[in-house]
């Protein structure tokens, strides 16, 4: 056994359990439920799921796959295409899997990320037959050190009948010591989660597991799939500026200081770009309390803008991995990775008073937000942690470009075709047109502000006409119900939500 | 000064500040914002708001009115009819006010009950010019002892520029000592809320206030308005039985014990009736952690079924007031009243793992719930605390009769006309037809179960036809978007959602 292996696999008994990925996959049977590590492409179990896909060539079987969030390495894609998934939860972000979900070839339960651990712990979901967990090390005592994400691994290890560990020798060894593993225990018997600051540590650096349950250790040697975010563009830079302007107003009003409040930012290019925009701001000594730590967080750490970042995963572009991973130990006092139940816990989010920034797929004039469903029916990725954060933050901010598909889709519609965040939970809406601060406003006030500040000029007249017609009918939240989805229907029929060219734009 | 007054108003300096309600009302000017005590008809300031209504005869003015929740004594009705309200938040339940809201004569901000205190504390809402707070006593040191509700009084007292206390000599003096007043402090600087059991006490029995701010004490002598709940009927009894059957299944599955978990029940007749149904159950040593303590809670305490109840208000029928109030001191070790920020706090709700039972106005086949808007536009009462509880409970249960208006309205529709609780936050739906346990299910699974178990036979075929047509179009959450609101539109046009008599019922 080479020294790199014995350095990382320090428990002597477990050294005897090294098996091939194919052998580990052979233990997995039709009808089983698997709990996989992995959160937004980071720290996912790679080899065993891949071997499981191979195994499908020998005959059909189906398993339930629970994870932290989305997986990398095309695992979601390959599993979906192999037809081996019966039910997937709580989040995915792969185009093939998305297609299979929408073709109803597999079941997808779209769930708040902080709730999965509660449901596993209380045995509401199917019992987990195998936890398959990536680790960067196993200690002498047999504690499992997670790699670039923690996700739901802690609870999967605790509740699974059997465990397979993928010991990844390619992940930076410096990850060891960066985790803060805390298990809150059963509802009704638990204590307060003692975290009162972003940089607090309340747990252990490794995950506990009954060593008897570990059936095999698989050695792997591949990095995570890099993130697929695109760089900031003109629109996202403008959105970042609007957001910064809003935050300045909060400082002027005495509601925030120059240090703001701990920041959360959802996954994806837009949220990353908006966070990136803070690089050029006057804000200082910022803190991040988020789920995914993307490229922008490391730029902000490097520039000194951010003093500390707490997350559940590190999900970087290829380029950023190359610069960050070799010097990861330099971030040791500035980074912590927590289980998603803690990174997304309402108790901590409300206590710390986060500023949360998440991406909307569409919003309506009353401030309801759709994060998940294209035209109300087709799943995109899932709600992820956006509900955990928006529901409990000091400031729930949603960002979206005001139009998509070259203007054929307005991201602001009369009535969202699916609701993931209700009017009660959306504080501020930001587009490249401007921002609308909806706090404390009644619905008709919200509508006027969103139309005025956030809508693209292409659609303003069309929406004003809808709103005026609705207003004439009265009500707390005026609607013309028979036309509420007319924009979506128009898009489906004609390829554009634009019902006629606005008079103001006509030559 | 008579002895009853000096017993209850024990601070000598404040005894000098007794004024008439009319005088206190004269201090209130056009454009001011008022923070009133009162939570679901209990412990509301009565005399000064009434004097304010009188004052409107002398000339027009408008004020913003923030409260705990709904008021009694027809105050919301009279204020709305007098036209003196500019904006009202966060909840109301009066038919006249409702009409004025829907006629857009006053603005109504419909808000989670646990969020108001955060918004007042962080000065997001308008500054409060006058807090007008009912008390049952003022101590020697000037602590304000609330009466039958705490609501938002703690934060109103802290943040208001001036304070008027209504000392109510009719309320039971035994209320003193029953409150647990805790102020969490600013977000980002606060400690964990140390409550780890329903019967815990973490604060003081009275509310602190800067005595300099108290401008007047008004003496009053009227009880709260009794609650208007109607007694359990056959349907609500059947719903209670379905709920009990579900809870038994949870016990059989090992997820609950015979003691269940702390119970929350929303306001209104249905939730009260369902709770009442537990009287005849085999469950024991129950605990209540709720906002409003209605008649059923006292029946359960008297029968020994409930060992302890924590709430934010005591809201009783006239009959129940007569039996409970004279012997209130007997409940001293079994009751506590907390600020609504604590009774409804996500941190505590998640930690204790509540079973929450709230009423739906309508639900859709995917489990989205509308709690507030009739046909998507007209406000009923408001979301109240239902979102606080549903979002964070162990079990978020919604109850509704499957039809209304003699069958012309189906409470289960293809697409709810307003979303207050998303599919992610609704665990169990109960009607008099049965229950649907939605936990861990994908949308198409949820739809089949809701149609099968919860829908009224009158509408099952009509819904099955909708669902089959939607299913053929594919998607994670299948819909026929152009027909999604057809049931509501049909009701508006023809007076019934029933589009044709179902074949199975035809002779």
């Amino acid at each position: 056994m080479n020294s790199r292996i014995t350095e990382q696999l320090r428990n002597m008994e477990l050294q005897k359990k090294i098996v091939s990925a194919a052998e580990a996959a052979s233990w997995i049977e039709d009808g089983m439920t698997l709990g996989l590590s992995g959160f937004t492409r980071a720290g996912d179990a790679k080899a065993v799921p891949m071997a499981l896909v191979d195994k499908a060539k020998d005959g059909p079987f189906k398993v339930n796959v629970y994870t932290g969030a989305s997986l990398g390495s095309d695992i979601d894609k390959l599993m979906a295409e192999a037809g081996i998934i019966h039910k997937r939860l709580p989040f995915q972000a792969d185009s093939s899997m998305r297609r299979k979900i929408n073709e109803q070839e597999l079941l997808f339960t779209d769930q708040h990320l902080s709730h999965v651990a509660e449901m596993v712990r209380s045995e509401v979901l199917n019992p987990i037959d195998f936890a398959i967990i990536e680790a960067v090390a196993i200690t002498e005592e047999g504690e499992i050190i997670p790699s670039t994400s923690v996700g739901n691994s802690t609870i999967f290890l605790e509740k699974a009948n059997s465990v397979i560990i993928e010991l990844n020798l390619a992940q930076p060894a410096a990850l060891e010591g960066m985790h803060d593993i805390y298990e809150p225990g059963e509802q009704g018997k638990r204590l307060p989660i003692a975290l009162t600051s972003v940089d607090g540590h309340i747990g252990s650096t490794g995950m506990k597991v009954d060593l008897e349950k570990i059936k095999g250790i698989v050695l792997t040697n591949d990095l995570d799939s890099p993130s697929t975010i695109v760089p900031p563009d003109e629109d996202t830079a403008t959105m970042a500026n609007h957001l910064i302007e809003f935050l300045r107003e909060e400082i002027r009003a005495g509601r925030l200081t120059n240090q703001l409040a701990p920041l959360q930012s959802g996954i994806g290019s837009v949220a990353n770009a908006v966070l990136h925009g803070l690089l050029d701001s006057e804000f200082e000594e910022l803190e991040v309390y988020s789920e995914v730590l993307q490229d922008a967080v490391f730029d902000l750490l490097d520039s000194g803008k951010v003093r500390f970042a707490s997350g559940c995963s590190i999900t970087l572009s290829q380029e950023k991995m190359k610069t960050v991973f070799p010097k990861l130990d330099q971030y040791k006092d500035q980074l912590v990775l927590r289980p998603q139940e803690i990174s997304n816990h309402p108790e901590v989010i409300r206590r710390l008073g986060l500023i949360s920034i998440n991406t909307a797929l569409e919003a309506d004039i009353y401030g309801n937000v759709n994060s998940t469903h294209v035209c109300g029916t087709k799943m995109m990725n899932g709600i992820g942690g956006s509900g955990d954060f928006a529901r409990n933050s000091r400031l729930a901010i949603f960002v979206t470009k005001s139009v998509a598909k070259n203007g054929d889709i307005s991201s602001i519609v009369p009535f969202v075709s699916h609701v993931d965040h209700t009017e009660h939970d959306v504080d501020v809406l930001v587009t490249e047109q401007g921002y609308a601060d909806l706090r404390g406003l009644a619905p008709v006030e919200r509508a006027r502000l969103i139309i005025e500040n956030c809508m693209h000029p292409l659609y303003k007249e069309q929406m004003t006409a809808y709103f005026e017609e609705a207003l004439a009918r009265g009500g707390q939240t005026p609607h013309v119900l028979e036309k509420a989805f007319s924009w979506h229907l128009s898009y489906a029929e004609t390829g554009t939500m634009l019902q006629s060219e606005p008079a103001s734009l006509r030559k």
Side-chain angles (χ1 to χ4, degrees), chain A residues 262-287:
Chain A
L263 297 161
Q264 176 265 337
S265 151
I267 63 160
S269 304
V270 174
N272 183 66
V274 168
L275 211 54
H276 200 267
L278 297 179
L279 263 178
D280 303 322
S281 73
E282 69 275 28
F283 310 133
E284 289 174 338
E285 290 282 299
L286 300 176
E287 296 179 328

Side-chain angles (χ1 to χ4, degrees), chain A residues 194-267:
Chain A
L195 206 58
T196 54
S197 65
V198 161
D199 56 4
H201 286 71
I202 56 174
S204 57
T205 56
M207 306 185 286
K208 299 207 186 336
V209 62
D210 174 358
L211 297 187
E212 297 291 307
K213 295 201 301 188
I214 298 185
K215 203 161 170 197
I217 312 277
V218 176
L219 300 178
T220 70
N221 210 354
D222 291 310
L223 282 177
D224 295 331
S225 302
S227 78
T228 53
I229 50 168
V230 298
D233 61 22
E234 196 182 325
D235 277 350
T236 56
T238 309
M239 286 156 72
N241 286 338
H242 292 314
L243 179 67
I244 289 168
E245 190 43 50
F246 164 75
L247 294 171
R248 282 184 188 134
E249 283 294 337
E250 289 298 289
I251 294 171
R252 278 194 279 270
R255 290 189 285 258
L256 288 175
T257 67
N258 215 33
Q259 203 194 341
L260 303 178
L263 297 161
Q264 176 265 337
S265 151
I267 63 160

Side-chain angles (χ1 to χ4, degrees), chain A residues 411-425:
Chain A
S411 304
I412 317 287
V413 293
F415 199 120
V416 285
S417 59
H418 186 86
V419 180
D420 293 294
H421 309 286
T422 75
E423 48 155 339
H424 312 284
D425 295 330

Side-chain angles (χ1 to χ4, degrees), chain A residues 366 423-424 441-446 467 471 474-479:
Chain A
Y366 297 112
E423 48 155 339
H424 312 284
L441 299 188
V444 293
E445 296 177 295
R446 287 199 285 259
F467 181 59
L471 210 51
Q476 160 85 348
T477 303
H479 270 299

